[in-house]
Amino acid sequence: MEIKPIDPANRAFFAGVVSGIDLTRPLSAQEVEAVHAGMDRFGVLVFHDQKIDDEQQLVFSKSLGPLEQATGDIAAPQDRRMSMELNDISNLDKNNQVLARDDRRRLFGLGNMLWHSDSSFKDVPAKYSLLSARQIPDADGNTEFADMRAAYDALDDKTKAEVGDMICSHSQIFSRGILGFTDFTDDERVKWAPVRQRLVRKHPRSGRLSLYLSSHAGGIEGWPVPEARAFLRDLNEHATQRKFVYAHQWKPADLVMWDNRVTMHRARRYDHTQVRDMRRTTLTNEVSSLEQAP
Ligand code: OGA
Ligand code: MN
């Protein structure tokens, strides 16, 4: 197994490409450690030509750590295409038909087009996400990743001091609201009530600090809401400059894995009449970001 930077000239320490590994087979303890070490270094790892099914994706994912359940999904249990151990990142219904343009599930899913960190709206958020491309459109539909360690490092000292102990409140109600999606049920509003997360967190293995930003963040504790949102918007603008971004152009059977503690990501547009079938497994962070102070 070998891991190299995808774009050594522009981002030697962000986004690696892994070769010499077959994800359809169980990994050795040594391979598991090499994957973690690669994640510590690069934040995003790309695996090409991995024709895996749901079961193989689950075995690989679980070899890296405990999974979270897909409780952030809006589809009713009887409408799901897969178990609660997988997130359905597709534009399909359970009969594998492309969702209508105005389908509520599709409109909710468009929230993925905003820069975010997975499950930052949960008390215990996500650690790694693993996204497997099963069927992709002819063109477009990239996924972009931004390096929140580099973004933190590039802040001036005054801003670093100001954000060091900030606590933000995160909710899917905030992020969807940005796109004008507001038709949440009372149950959903209770289930997705805001949670608290640190704005600056420390990676337990690499020791690096990162900005824990996400479109789900809609407030800063102790701040008036408009001031908080204006400030978070400025931080997001800083953190997603192109120099911090790797844009992944999907090939069939790609699997991309990212560390939600140190990255944000977003989906890009594609022809919504074409099938895009991606499945995500997600490792839980096991503790809140509040436990990962610098
Ligand atoms: C996700 C996600 C982006 C995409 O799977 O968590 O945000 O391009 N996906 O589908
Ligand atoms: Mn996501």
Side-chain angles (χ1 to χ4, degrees), residues 21-41:
I21 190 167
D22 175 0
L23 301 184
T24 65
R25 297 181 191 191
L27 266 54
S28 68
Q30 206 179 358
E31 284 173 317
V32 166
E33 180 44 37
V35 169
H36 286 302
M39 289 293 278
D40 292 345
R41 179 149 185 228

Side-chain angles (χ1 to χ4, degrees), residues 82-95:
M82 53 196 73
S83 83
M84 288 297 284
E85 288 188 314
L86 287 132
N87 274 276
D88 189 355
I89 311 294
S90 77
N91 58 347
L92 302 173
D93 67 17
K94 71 170 172 197
N95 301 313

Side-chain angles (χ1 to χ4, degrees), residues 112-130:
N112 279 347
M113 295 184 68
L114 304 177
W115 286 110
H116 65 283
S117 178
D118 288 334
S119 300
S120 72
F121 55 85
K122 296 184 182 178
D123 269 316
V124 173
K127 183 175 166 180
Y128 300 164
S129 292
L130 300 89

